[in-house]
């Protein structure tokens, strides 16, 4: 499963808030009618048809400059997605990107009062263009909250990065769960419209040179971890497959496994983590209390008696025993065959050799007079 988390919606496809002369100085009323024509929908559908051959998750991106103002902001993606054809096995996401500049350093709308305007979006991205905004994006807005910024996208096509990528800021952002985005459209540098990512940076042949220099710096600082690769493409001729993109970013110094993670593993974990923004400080499952079963001791009087003497208390037949005073013993010979059973000797039993030493009944052995004389052996035998 492959991901393209930056499919931009061009500026001509956006909704504009209208303000009449009578309501001058008052809160402007948002225009609820959509401006997406049939021709614009056909262009977007053609771009999606190219992406669905290789990508399974597509995120449509809406860009806002300077700051997010809920009074004038209109969510154009809510009007766009219902007009698109549904495709089996393809997931559409909504992404909001805020471009931060000098005018937005004091505040760019990511406050608790504007949480309702950000809630419909699945992903939130920031594009810092100054040192102050880059520090805020890494330290403050990457923390878990209802307004968490999941993606930090850098203006790689600028002549030079407007801030220094400090290791402490980058490591803190990655530890908090944010990722740094590299849009491969800047590496192509074919058209001026697509080369300038989010409208920030140069366009034309110089944008391609700037992209390679800045992207190498991002890979060096992050060490290949916490990076995702997106498209950011407007022209259909500039789309590339996932394997081509992996080979492209390997030229930046990434290993093959890290290049695979940047387009498969990291985007998947990012989307799963982004869902926690809507369930922040919430219960994910209903806990159930399981009481252990305690075995109570039984009353001896209530123990059922064994009605059948031939069976045990568990209902198993008892082994038959030999009647008499002497138990039966079976001996084995050297070859493993069983001998005739014999009776064990007991202290009370007497043998001919024991004489009258036993405590049992008197010895009934014959007397010495009745015994036959023994024959003598040797020379003097009679």
């Amino acid at each position: 499963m492959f991901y393209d988390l930056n499919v931009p919606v061009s500026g001509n496809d956006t909704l504009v808030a209208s303000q009449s002369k009578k309501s001058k100085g008052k809160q402007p009323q948002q225009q609820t009618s959509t401006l997406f024509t049939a021709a614009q929908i056909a262009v977007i559908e053609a771009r999606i048809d190219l992406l669905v051959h290789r990508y399974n998750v597509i995120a449509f991106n809406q860009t806002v400059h300077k700051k997010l103002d809920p009074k004038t902001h209109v969510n154009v993606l809510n009007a766009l997605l219902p007009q698109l054809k549904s495709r089996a096995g393809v997931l559409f996401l909504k992404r909001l990107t805020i471009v931060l500049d000098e005018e937005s350093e004091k505040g760019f709308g990511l406050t608790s009062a504007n949480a309702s305007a950000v809630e419909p979006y699945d992903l939130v991205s920031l594009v810092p263009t100054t040192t102050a905004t880059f520090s805020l994006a890494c330290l403050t807005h990457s923390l878990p909250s209802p307004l968490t910024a999941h993606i930090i996208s850098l203006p790689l096509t600028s002549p030079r990065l407007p801030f220094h990528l400090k290791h402490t800021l980058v490591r803190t952002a990655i530890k908090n769960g944010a990722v740094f985005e590299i849009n491969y459209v800047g590496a192509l540098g074919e058209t001026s419209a697509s080369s300038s990512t989010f409208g920030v940076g140069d366009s034309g042949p110089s944008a391609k040179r700037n992209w390679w220099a800045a992207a190498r710096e991002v890979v060096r600082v992050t060490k290949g971890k916490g990076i995702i690769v997106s498209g950011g493409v407007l022209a259909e001729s500039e789309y590339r497959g996932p394997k081509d993109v992996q080979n492209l970013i390997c030229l930046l110094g990434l290993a093959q496994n890290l290049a695979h993670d940047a387009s498969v593993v990291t985007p998947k974990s990012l989307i799963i983590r982004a869902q926690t923004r809507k369930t922040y400080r919430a219960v994910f499952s209903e806990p159930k209390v399981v009481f252990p079963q305690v075995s109570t001791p039984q009353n001896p009087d209530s123990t059922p008696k064994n009605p059948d003497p031939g069976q045990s208390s568990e209902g198993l037949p008892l082994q038959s025993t030999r009647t008499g005073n002497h138990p039966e013993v079976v001996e084995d010979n050297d070859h493993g065959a069983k001998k005739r059973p014999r009776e064990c000797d007991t202290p009370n039993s007497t043998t001919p050799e024991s004489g009258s030493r036993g405590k049992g009944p008197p010895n009934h052995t014959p007397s010495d007079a009745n015994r036959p004389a023994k024959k003598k052996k040797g020379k003097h035998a009679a």
Side-chain angles (χ1 to χ4, degrees):
M1 182 177 291
F2 297 97
Y3 302 78
D4 190 354
L5 302 183
N6 187 10
V7 179
V9 178
S10 60
N12 297 330
D13 302 334
T14 58
L15 299 177
V16 181
S18 61
Q19 182 179 6
S20 60
K21 295 181 180 179
K22 295 182 181 180
S23 60
K24 185 177 182 180
K26 300 181 180 180
Q27 180 178 354
Q29 298 178 356
Q30 297 179 355
Q31 184 178 352
T32 58
S33 61
T34 178
L35 298 181
F36 289 103
T37 62
Q40 294 172 346
I41 295 296
V43 172
I44 298 176
E45 290 283 0
R47 294 164 57 189
I48 297 176
D49 291 337
L50 293 176
L51 290 173
V52 295
H53 290 292
R54 294 291 184 271
Y55 296 94
N56 306 99
V57 180
I58 300 173
F60 294 97
N61 184 22
Q62 179 183 357
T63 304
V64 177
H65 292 270
K66 296 182 181 180
K67 67 177 182 178
L68 177 66
D69 190 358
K71 298 180 180 179
T72 59
H73 177 72
V74 178
N75 191 341
V76 300
L77 302 180
N78 287 339
L80 174 63
L81 295 185
Q83 301 182 35
L84 300 177
K85 296 185 298 183
S86 60
R87 295 167 173 82
V90 179
L91 177 63
F92 292 153
L93 300 179
K94 294 179 290 184
R95 169 180 168 177
L96 175 65
T97 300
I98 305 177
V99 180
L100 309 178
D101 53 8
E102 297 179 356
E103 297 181 4
S104 58
E105 290 183 3
K106 297 180 180 180
F108 35 86
L110 290 181
T111 58
S112 58
N114 303 336
S116 59
V118 184
E119 184 178 2
Y121 295 95
D122 300 307
L123 301 174
V124 179
S125 173
L126 298 178
V127 184
T129 58
T130 61
T131 305
T133 56
F134 179 71
S135 300
L136 288 175
C138 294
L139 300 179
T140 304
H141 294 284
S142 61
L143 297 174
S145 68
L147 301 170
T148 302
H150 314 101
I151 303 173
I152 300 176
S153 186
L154 304 178
L156 302 179
T157 56
S158 299
R160 187 178 180 181
L161 285 177
F163 44 81
H164 179 64
L165 297 177
K166 297 181 179 180
H167 291 271
T168 55
L169 297 178
V170 173
R171 284 196 299 266
T172 303
I174 295 176
K175 183 179 180 181
N176 293 338
V179 298
F180 291 87
E181 183 184 40
I182 297 178
N183 294 280
Y184 68 82
V185 63
L188 306 177
E190 296 181 1
T191 60
S192 60
S194 298
S195 298
S196 181
T197 308
F198 309 113
V200 180
D202 292 351
S203 60
S206 60
K208 183 177 181 179
R209 181 175 60 254
N210 300 335
W211 185 91
W212 283 100
R216 287 177 181 273
E217 181 68 13
V218 174
V219 172
R220 185 190 66 83
V221 175
T222 59
K223 298 180 181 180
K225 300 179 180 179
I227 293 178
I228 63 172
V229 182
S230 304
V233 179
L234 292 175
E236 299 178 7
S237 60
E238 297 182 356
Y239 280 111
R240 298 293 183 270
K243 298 298 182 181
D244 295 337
V245 175
Q246 293 179 14
N247 294 332
L248 177 66
I249 62 176
C250 283
L251 301 177
L252 300 175
L254 280 176
Q256 287 287 345
N257 59 332
L258 296 178
H260 178 268
D261 294 346
S263 57
V264 177
V265 179
T266 307
K268 180 180 179 180
S269 61
L270 169 66
I271 294 175
I272 296 175
R273 186 167 54 253
Q275 301 301 319
T276 59
R277 182 174 57 87
K278 299 181 180 181
T279 58
Y280 178 65
R281 291 180 180 175
V283 178
F284 289 93
S285 62
E286 181 181 359
K288 296 182 181 180
V289 180
V290 179
F291 295 96
Q293 298 181 358
V294 180
S295 59
T296 57
Q298 297 181 356
N299 189 1
D301 299 336
S302 62
T303 304
K305 298 181 180 180
N306 188 10
D308 190 359
Q311 292 184 354
S312 63
S313 60
E314 292 80 8
L316 300 176
L318 296 174
Q319 296 180 357
S320 60
T321 58
R322 187 179 178 182
T323 59
N325 298 329
H326 307 291
E328 182 180 353
V329 178
V330 178
E331 296 180 352
D332 295 340
N333 56 11
D334 298 336
H335 302 284
K338 294 184 179 180
K339 292 183 178 180
R340 180 178 58 83
R342 66 178 179 85
E343 294 180 353
C344 294
D345 296 334
T346 58
N348 296 332
S349 63
T350 59
T351 59
E353 293 79 11
S354 61
S356 59
R357 286 177 296 178
K359 297 181 181 180
N363 193 357
H364 298 285
T365 58
S367 61
D368 297 338
N370 298 332
R371 288 181 182 177
K374 295 182 179 180
K375 294 182 179 181
K376 296 183 180 181
K377 297 180 181 181
K379 298 180 180 181
H380 305 283

